[in-house]
Amino acid sequence: MTEKVAESSVELHELIARRWSPRAFDPDEKISDKQLRALLEAARWAPSYGNTQPARFLVGPRGSQTFDRILGVLTEANQAWAHRVSVLFLGLAVTRNEKGELPYATYGVALAAQNLVLQAVAEGLAGHQMAGFDPQAARREFSLPDDVEPVVAIAVGKPVDADILGHEALIDRERAPRRRLPLSEIALSDWNVPAF
Ligand SMILES: Cc1cc2nc3c(=O)[nH]c(=O)nc-3n(C[C@H](O)[C@H](O)[C@H](O)COP(=O)(O)O)c2cc1C
């Protein structure tokens, strides 16, 4: 499998350094019930605004109807690789409760999603988050009520060598180095003034 450990000026925890978003996954890898629970427990223990816990996840292990239904609402480009993963999730935000609009609902889903993805790394797997899906189609497919918003799809599986992707351009993209803005551009002591 391709490894793309983050280059950083100081050593990072390996869960953070080793996480990346592959598209080459082992089509024969089955996720265990324990691993699946671990991913969702990690999501459950994410922080949220006022502990409002807005995140919900549709859970589709490969071979299940839910997998096929989530796969069906992904863009074609995402379907082309995501059909091989061990489990597909659709992250949903509950945007209202009995007191009214829930602030920071999508932020809560993002935090839960990242917890899930980091736990995937801890399980020897990898996660790939996707905005490339049709939210209206997801809404129809799962009969979601108006106060539930589809936010992100997440693919989790066992990463394998890029060759499985078949096309040269896709293989090259899979092996391309990861890029980030320099620390001096994101850590500021005043606007446009680097903190380091
Ligand atoms: C909210 C969100 C939506 C994304 N949507 C897609 C997507 O639809 N398809 C895809 O292949 N990658 C998608 N990505 C993956 C990003 O392209 C990837 O995280 C980014 O290039 C950084 O690479 P890294 O995760 O390997 O560090 C998405 C990531 C996030 C966080």
Side-chain angles (χ1 to χ4, degrees), residues 85-161:
V85 305
S86 305
V87 54
L88 283 172
F89 300 95
L90 192 61
L92 311 170
V94 175
T95 58
R96 298 184 68 80
N97 68 8
E98 60 289 346
K99 292 189 195 139
E101 194 87 4
L102 278 183
Y104 288 92
T106 52
Y107 192 95
V109 177
L111 292 170
Q114 184 69 351
N115 264 20
L116 187 157
V117 165
L118 290 176
Q119 185 66 34
V121 179
E123 302 289 332
L125 303 170
H128 194 137
Q129 301 175 65
M130 291 168 277
F133 69 96
D134 181 342
Q136 292 310 324
R139 197 171 271 299
R140 279 193 303 276
E141 178 63 38
F142 293 100
S143 305
L144 300 177
D146 288 346
D147 59 353
V148 173
E149 191 187 323
V151 177
V152 69
I154 309 173
V156 172
K158 187 94 177 166
V160 289
D161 191 81

Side-chain angles (χ1 to χ4, degrees), residues 19-21 23 78 81 128-132 178 180:
R19 184 216 60 82
W20 68 288
S21 302
R23 297 182 180 86
N78 282 333
W81 57 266
H128 194 137
Q129 301 175 65
M130 291 168 277
R178 297 166 63 212
R180 288 298 189 270

